[in-house]
Amino acid sequence: HLPLIPGERVLYKAFGYIWQDEGIVKSWVPGIWNVTNERLILWVKTPRKAIFETPLASLRVFRVPASHETRQDLELVYPDGRARISLSERDEFEEALARATTDATAISV
């Protein structure tokens, strides 16, 4: 049920979290990270929507100290701000982002 734009395809999926810090509510929100050939999207089953998305072209990813033993944290920097995310498959996720970015660059040239 992930809404994709025409020509977009999912290249990699991984379960993970995003840190939400809104007012007095601070928590890790679980979802499925989707790396497409165009965007990075976090899809949550309930309420069945994307709670985060950004184009790959403007995304920067940095490793940060882990907040939990079994997960590995990353900081995403994108045009609208920053987000801290956590996944257990950080290396595979970073590789998928690198491949998707390379593919997108090759296609747009």
Side-chain angles (χ1 to χ4, degrees):
H1 299 145
L2 183 66
L4 299 175
I5 57 178
E8 186 176 26
R9 63 191 187 288
V10 176
L11 305 174
Y12 179 80
K13 289 183 176 191
F15 179 78
Y17 300 84
I18 189 167
W19 179 251
Q20 290 201 332
D21 184 355
E22 297 180 11
I24 61 170
V25 178
K26 297 169 178 51
S27 64
W28 286 102
V29 177
I32 303 296
W33 286 102
N34 293 268
V35 177
T36 76
N37 56 317
E38 300 285 335
R39 301 177 288 167
L40 175 62
I41 305 164
L42 179 62
W43 180 260
V44 293
K45 282 186 158 185
T46 305
R48 295 174 54 146
K49 70 176 189 174
I51 62 168
F52 176 91
E53 66 179 277
T54 192
L56 294 179
S58 56
L59 179 66
R60 301 293 172 257
V61 180
F62 301 96
R63 289 185 175 201
V64 293
S67 61
H68 191 276
E69 289 179 17
T70 60
R71 295 189 308 251
Q72 299 175 344
D73 294 358
L74 296 170
E75 182 169 358
L76 307 178
V77 179
Y78 54 99
D80 295 333
R82 296 174 174 264
R84 188 168 186 136
I85 71 168
S86 188
L87 333 93
S88 57
E89 296 133 0
R90 181 180 65 188
D91 294 339
E92 293 88 351
F93 180 79
E94 288 176 311
E95 289 170 12
L97 283 174
R99 281 192 313 272
T101 303
T102 301
D103 290 347
T105 303
I107 291 167
S108 64
V109 171

